[in-house]
């Protein structure tokens, strides 16, 4: 990130000159020392870039990325670019940014692809950031003609992919086979269990690992999607086998208590472990509650316009051809109704 660009962005966004000078002093006063062959080299004085690990850097990076956002918005306002709408009343989505991951939506024409290329090039010249096209991908809707696909790929110099794979750690497309798509959760739990095989753990140690590691692994996915019941059962079975395992290798032992009973609170004789299905519903219910309490957010406006334009979430129906995200949130409707006041 060029320091001159950082300063210009702060000035353009209305920060006072004194505040900008203080921030720039924090950024430009950094120096580095490195150890090579047992000798300390330095100080090395950089002339650009933001420090990784500095608590100030993420905020500065977000403010600087606003420059790219404004460039795209300007092209949309002049009708040079057109975003994506999933329904008639939905807001138009042109771009989504998260740290250094970016999604840009536009019509699959060579003209709009050229506009996107110009916007990215302008931002790169100003900020110093460059796009790695070998790590970039482009996806098209199913009804896009092959000639249009080839034209857009040729302009941008990016390869076409059937899907974006995982975005922010979550699958961007959820197909029919949900167990296969979310199977990576089972693999993660299995890897953790294998790494603990040679450890002789006490009951207290196993309880801590179960609570803080194994049961926390699927939390992020469960906060967005309702994973299959059979997968929840498999994960609980793996955790149950780990708990009742004996010896250094945690070989199969006698299961003296079912997982349902172990999931009960401690004051009624259980161990307080999670029932993954119920926990999953609670996590998805938080997303549903955000839609109810924050209707002006982008997600809430999209969901409402697509699935219940003339109603509210409490009375909404599943509808025809729903996305898996909406199906997951809709399953938590009964939970929200039972707890509302």
């Amino acid at each position: 990130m060029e320091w001159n660009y950082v300063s210009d962005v702060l000035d353009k966004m209305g920060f006072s000159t004194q505040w900008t000078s203080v921030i720039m002093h924090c950024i430009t006063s950094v120096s580095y020392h490195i150890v090579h062959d047992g000798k300390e080299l330095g100080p090395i004085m950089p002339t650009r870039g933001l420090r990784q690990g500095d608590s100030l850097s993420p905020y500065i990076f977000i403010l600087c990325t606003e420059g790219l956002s404004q460039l795209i918005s300007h092209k949309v306002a002049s009708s040079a670019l057109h975003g994506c709408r999933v329904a008639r009343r939905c807001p138009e989505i042109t771009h989504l940014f998260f740290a250094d991951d970016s999604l840009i939506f536009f019509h699959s024409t060579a003209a709009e692809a050229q506009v996107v290329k110009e916007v990215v090039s302008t931002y790169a010249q100003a900020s110093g950031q460059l796009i790695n096209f070998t790590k970039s991908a482009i996806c098209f809707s199913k009804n896009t003609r092959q000639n249009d696909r080839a034209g857009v790929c040729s302009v941008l110099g990016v390869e076409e992919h059937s899907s974006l794979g995982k975005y922010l750690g979550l699958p961007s497309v959820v197909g029919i086979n949900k167990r296969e798509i979310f199977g990576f959760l089972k693999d993660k739990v299995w890897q953790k269990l294998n790494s603990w095989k040679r450890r002789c753990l006490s009951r207290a140690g196993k309880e801590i690992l179960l609570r803080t590691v194994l049961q926390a692994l699927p939390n992020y996915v469960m906060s967005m999607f309702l994973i299959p019941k059979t997968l929840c059962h498999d994960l609980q079975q793996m955790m149950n086998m780990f708990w009742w395992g004996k010896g250094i290798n945690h070989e199969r032992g006698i299961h003296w208590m079912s997982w349902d009973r172990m999931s009960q609170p401690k004051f009624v004789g259980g161990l307080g472990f999670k029932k993954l299905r119920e926990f999953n519903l609670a996590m998805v219910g938080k997303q549903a509650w955000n839609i109810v309490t924050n209707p002006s957010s982008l997600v809430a406006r999209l969901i409402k316009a697509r699935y219940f334009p003339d109603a509210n979430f409490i009375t909404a129906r599943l509808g025809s051809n729903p996305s898996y995200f909406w199906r997951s949130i809709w399953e938590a409707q009964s939970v929200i109704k039972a707890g509302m006041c």
Side-chain angles (χ1 to χ4, degrees):
M1 190 74 71
E2 297 289 349
W3 288 346
N4 291 335
Y5 173 75
V6 176
S7 179
D8 292 341
V9 168
L10 294 177
D11 291 336
K12 189 67 175 179
M13 297 189 73
F15 290 96
S16 66
T17 305
Q18 183 179 2
W19 174 261
T20 301
S21 63
V22 171
I23 297 299
M24 293 308 300
H25 177 73
C26 295
I27 296 174
T28 58
S29 61
V30 62
S31 62
Y32 300 100
H33 292 78
I34 62 175
V35 177
H36 179 67
D37 289 338
K39 297 181 180 179
E40 184 178 298
L41 304 178
I44 299 173
M45 309 300 294
T47 58
R48 63 192 302 273
L50 301 175
R51 252 185 311 193
Q52 291 188 355
D54 185 3
S55 57
L56 185 64
S57 296
Y59 299 98
I60 300 299
F61 186 84
I62 291 172
L63 292 176
C64 291
T65 310
E66 186 67 19
L68 177 58
S69 177
Q70 290 299 320
L71 286 173
I72 296 175
S73 299
H74 178 71
K75 293 297 182 181
V76 172
S78 62
S79 299
L81 278 179
H82 299 84
C84 174
R85 294 181 186 272
V86 297
R88 291 183 179 180
R89 302 183 187 181
C90 281
E92 187 179 35
I93 305 299
T94 56
H95 57 282
L96 297 172
F97 294 159
F98 183 85
D100 58 347
D101 290 327
S102 305
L103 290 177
I104 302 177
F105 302 90
F106 58 94
H107 287 181
S108 54
T109 63
E112 294 208 6
Q114 186 63 40
V115 173
V116 171
K117 188 174 182 179
E118 293 173 0
V119 167
V120 171
S121 177
T122 301
Y123 176 74
Q125 292 176 6
S127 66
Q129 289 186 292
L130 298 176
I131 289 183
N132 189 341
F133 288 100
T134 59
K135 292 184 179 180
S136 303
I138 187 167
C139 296
F140 298 93
S141 59
K142 294 181 180 180
N143 58 351
T144 305
R145 295 178 299 180
Q146 190 61 40
N147 292 339
D148 293 334
R149 299 186 182 201
V152 172
C153 291
S154 176
V155 171
L156 295 177
V158 178
E159 293 184 359
E160 178 186 353
H161 290 262
S162 58
S163 69
L164 295 177
K166 291 183 181 179
Y167 182 67
L168 307 182
L170 296 173
S172 57
V173 178
V174 180
I176 297 176
N177 193 340
K178 308 296 188 301
R179 280 185 58 88
E180 181 180 352
I181 293 171
F182 296 107
F184 66 93
L185 294 175
K186 193 173 179 179
D187 296 336
K188 285 185 176 181
V189 172
W190 185 253
Q191 289 173 5
K192 287 293 182 182
L193 291 176
N194 283 336
S195 66
W196 297 338
K197 268 191 173 181
R198 293 294 176 180
R199 296 184 182 181
C200 189
L201 300 171
S202 63
R203 288 293 181 192
K206 286 186 177 183
E207 181 180 355
I208 292 174
L209 290 177
L210 263 173
R211 291 181 184 278
T212 61
V213 181
L214 291 184
Q215 293 195 328
L217 280 175
N219 284 4
Y220 180 53
V221 178
M222 285 182 171
S223 65
M224 298 298 296
F225 296 109
L226 196 64
I227 64 176
K229 292 181 180 179
T230 54
L231 183 57
C232 289
H233 175 74
D234 291 346
L235 294 176
Q236 289 180 170
Q237 192 174 27
M238 294 168 68
M239 297 175 188
N240 204 11
M241 290 177 64
F242 170 71
W243 175 257
W244 293 111
K246 58 182 180 180
I248 297 178
N249 292 326
H250 305 292
E251 297 175 355
R252 184 179 179 88
I254 300 175
H255 294 201
W256 294 102
M257 190 183 298
S258 67
W259 186 264
D260 288 339
R261 188 176 173 187
M262 291 166 62
S263 301
Q264 297 295 323
K266 289 188 175 182
F267 66 86
V268 294
L271 291 173
F273 293 141
K274 296 175 183 174
K275 289 184 178 180
L276 294 185
R277 180 65 179 183
E278 285 77 357
F279 179 75
N280 195 180
L281 278 171
M283 294 289 283
V284 175
K286 291 181 67 176
Q287 298 294 338
W289 185 243
N290 288 335
I291 292 175
V292 174
T293 57
N294 191 12
S296 61
S297 64
L298 179 61
V299 173
R301 287 186 291 150
L302 281 172
I303 294 296
K304 179 176 175 58
R306 174 66 177 84
Y307 296 108
F308 51 96
D310 301 318
N312 56 56
F313 176 77
I314 305 303
T315 60
R317 297 183 179 182
L318 184 60
S320 60
N321 194 23
S323 66
Y324 191 66
F325 175 70
W326 167 244
R327 187 185 294 273
S328 300
I329 292 179
W330 186 82
E331 287 288 342
Q333 189 184 67
S334 57
V335 178
I336 298 298
K337 287 180 180 179
M340 284 186 67
C341 60

